[in-house]
Amino acid sequence: MERKAELLSMFKVTKSFPGVLALDDISFELRKGEVHALVGENGAGKSTFIKILSGAHKMDTGGSICIDKKEVEIKSPSHANQLGIYTIYQEVTFIPHMSVAENVFLGSEIIENGLINHKKQIEETSRMFEEFGYPIDPTRMAADLNVAELRMINIVKALNNDVKILILDEPTTSLTDKEKNILFKNIVRLKNNGAGVIYISHRSGELKELADRATVFRNGKYVDTVEMADIKGLDDLIPLMIGKEVQNKYPKAKAPIGHEILRINKLSRNKFFDDVSFNLHSGEVVGIFGLVGCGFEEVLGSAFGVDSYDSGEVEIFHNNKMQPLRKSSTRAALDNNIAFIPRDRKTMGLLMNLSVAENVVISSYKDFSQKIVNLINSRKVQNTADDYKKKLNIKTPSVKTIVETLSGGNQQKVLLARALCSKGEVFLFNQPTAGVDVGAKIEIYEFMNKLTKAGSGIVIVSYELQEIMGMCDRIVVMCQGRVVKTVKTEETTSDEILAYAFGYKN
Amino acid sequence: MEMTQANLLTAEDNGIKARLKKIYNSTGMLLIVFVALILVMGIINPRFFTIGNSVILTRQACFLALISMGQMLVILTGGVDVSLGAIIGLCSVVSAIVAKEYGVMAGWMTPILIGLLVGVFNGFVVAIFRIDSFAVTLGSMSICNGLALIISKGLTIYNLPKGFKDLAYAKVLSVPLPVIITIAVIVLMAIILYRMRFGRYIYAVGGNPEALRLAGVNVNKVTIGLFAGAGLLTGLCAAILTSRINSGQPNLGGSLMMDSIAACVVGGVTFQGGVGKLGGVILGALFLSALSNGFDLIGVSSFVKQVIVGFIIIIAVVIDKMKK
């Protein structure tokens, strides 16, 4: 294959934050007309890397960045744009109470006689989106749009410029196939025009489809760059990403199955789910699978008491017999040793502004307080948190560190620690590994094995069929709010489960 | 008036019905309540409708409108400026002293300059050190108050040069000058807020400052600019107020700062930032002034008035919340 001309080269790039070395002596090269994948676990330094390229962070002195063989210093986001570097961040950024057109032209308004020409901006926006193949009404308020539409706005906005280097960070998150295809078409167009694309994604299918080369980062260090043609799939890169051979993505260890510990009995909630029954035994992992909107997340929420339900019963093993659980009370659930790991750890799980230790003990502060005046025994808190840090291998400088600064996988571990700390016996996991990298995923699965071995039971609700097949003893399939099938994992196949979930079989 | 300006963003506006609907959307219940209030006041005391009273009312509303527009800039970004009332006091005493020493024109201009300077100071500290605007302006409130008392030795400054009060009392085509000035400022503000970058960036800072930064905009400049704007408008308000009472008073601001927040809140500017229309704020200022004026006319004590205004503010916020 003909070697294309070099577009960007970065040499000895280092970035340190107080207490953390986020990027350590990284070198990187991007060619013209190339899609270059950047892969690595959460916390490998990918985000810091692109923030330096996009001007959001300044790198430490000593490194160099060259574009078209000319050394440049990227001073600010707007300066990066002047150099032809445009970034689409993982987080969708927008101003909620402004129109699509205003969002698109934010920072580069069309000015005539000192005034913004709104009409022209609206027309231009219309034209841009038409050209992109994704028509949208430019006068709609950003606050009224869904995430996929907002993401497309971010993308179209960047691509409307003279782009030399495009950086995409998990661009397909929350996009439908239709939108994805539009995006990919435009990436290919850009590439054919000689631009370079840096593409970050956890989805191996996309990378296989789009990328020419892939560079692996690990713990802020450069590991290797490979031609995509030379490898079968991204799985080949996993050992490079986590630095050790992975035997099995789903290290399921069977535990002896004991008595019943949770019974969901004919549970119904208007508009969400109807007549749902299943049970859970000690030592068992039950997986609930279904498509988006099948109601399984709501079932879990009602069981834990986050939401109410209309009829039916949740029963829990207590004092040697099954007893009904008070409804819509998370306190009652916690007191009966039910632990819940919500899906969105940022908004529903963690208190992002508090420390690791506080997050671990927040649902069980009672156990850390003196009996009479209720003063918190901070030494006990500290010791317990340290304990969990060790047990779960939470990577944090200290348990006093603010949770927000940890990587996704480690944040998820903090949530697990909280569940353990509140003495859970029944664990309800909603999407336990969403947005978590491979290494941490495996650690979480191994942690589940430990729980079942100790006699706990686990319910996993997940959109990832592989995870359900890989980790569960029994599978409950839901379709449109109803349980359509309950089956032992070894007696079924992925195809069968999917057929039930889609409603082809019932 | 500026209500149509407020809706320039929407592509077309045609038809009286559509226009009315837009006005309703941008000002909500306020307009209806405002009209009802005027009618009720007028029925209870017909003097409310006289031209004389209308002039008094509009003149009163001007001061509140000016300072409220300044306050609006800050609240749009999710902050609040509590120093505005104190700025008026400082501006007033300096204005009086300068007028005595250097003449009428200098006396009118200096307060505007001082307002601007205090505003820049506030904005600078908020932007550069990333400090909450409430804390910063609380500090400058105390500073301005203290300076005003030091400069005036706590006393009212009288015997200003002849002609000083023209700023407040002169009329052009039988319209009071302050009203003309205020209308000019409103038009200017509408243009800045809806048709100029700076104005749109103020809304953007309140909506999502990070997005604005990533769009390549210097957020600090915008922040300093809007506090400067708030100070400037307050300085202008102070100049006219000082001229109106024809003396320099260290505590001239009185309850104006609180009233300016009230006008913004009643007018639909939310404390989360990024939401609020100029038309709403103007209407809010008019509404509060009319309420105050009407209560005076029908003989409600100013103590009772305070209680009622308090309830109105809370009701306005509740309605705003329920609309979402």
Side-chain angles (χ1 to χ4, degrees), chain B residues 63-109:
Chain B
F63 305 118
L64 187 54
L66 285 174
I67 188 173
S68 298
M69 283 189 277
Q71 188 66 263
M72 176 194 184
L73 297 177
V74 183
I75 298 183
L76 272 180
T77 64
V80 67
D81 190 334
V82 296
S83 69
L84 297 184
I87 291 177
I88 289 186
L90 176 62
C91 287
S92 178
V93 294
V94 176
S95 168
I97 290 171
V98 170
K100 277 176 132 173
E101 288 287 321
Y102 302 99
V104 171
M105 194 43 110
W108 290 339
M109 290 302 150

Side-chain angles (χ1 to χ4, degrees), chain A residues 143-181:
Chain A
D144 300 335
L145 302 178
N146 66 37
V147 189
E149 287 169 316
L150 290 169
R151 188 173 286 281
M152 291 303 269
I153 291 177
N154 277 221
I155 293 169
V156 174
K157 183 180 169 180
L159 293 193
N160 188 47
N161 296 289
D162 194 8
V163 180
K164 227 186 231 174
I165 298 170
L166 180 69
I167 305 166
L168 296 150
D169 189 359
E170 297 282 356
T172 57
T173 311
S174 69
L175 293 192
T176 65
D177 283 343
K178 184 187 140 223
E179 287 149 345
K180 251 184 237 172
N181 289 332

Side-chain angles (χ1 to χ4, degrees), chain A residues 77-78 89 93-98 102 106-107 109 111 114-118 122 139 157, chain B residues 9 11 191 194-197 200-201 203-204 207-208 211-217 274-275:
Chain A
S78 53
Y89 290 98
T93 54
F94 64 100
I95 315 279
H97 294 282
M98 283 191 170
E102 280 207 275
L106 188 70
E109 289 76 5
I111 306 284
L115 300 181
I116 298 173
N117 189 334
H118 285 292
I122 289 166
T139 60
K157 183 180 169 180
Chain B
L9 295 187
I191 293 173
Y194 304 118
R195 292 298 301 274
M196 293 184 75
R197 277 186 204 184
R200 300 319 292 159
Y201 292 163
Y203 280 88
N208 185 348
L212 189 62
R213 199 173 76 86
L214 291 176
V217 176
V275 183

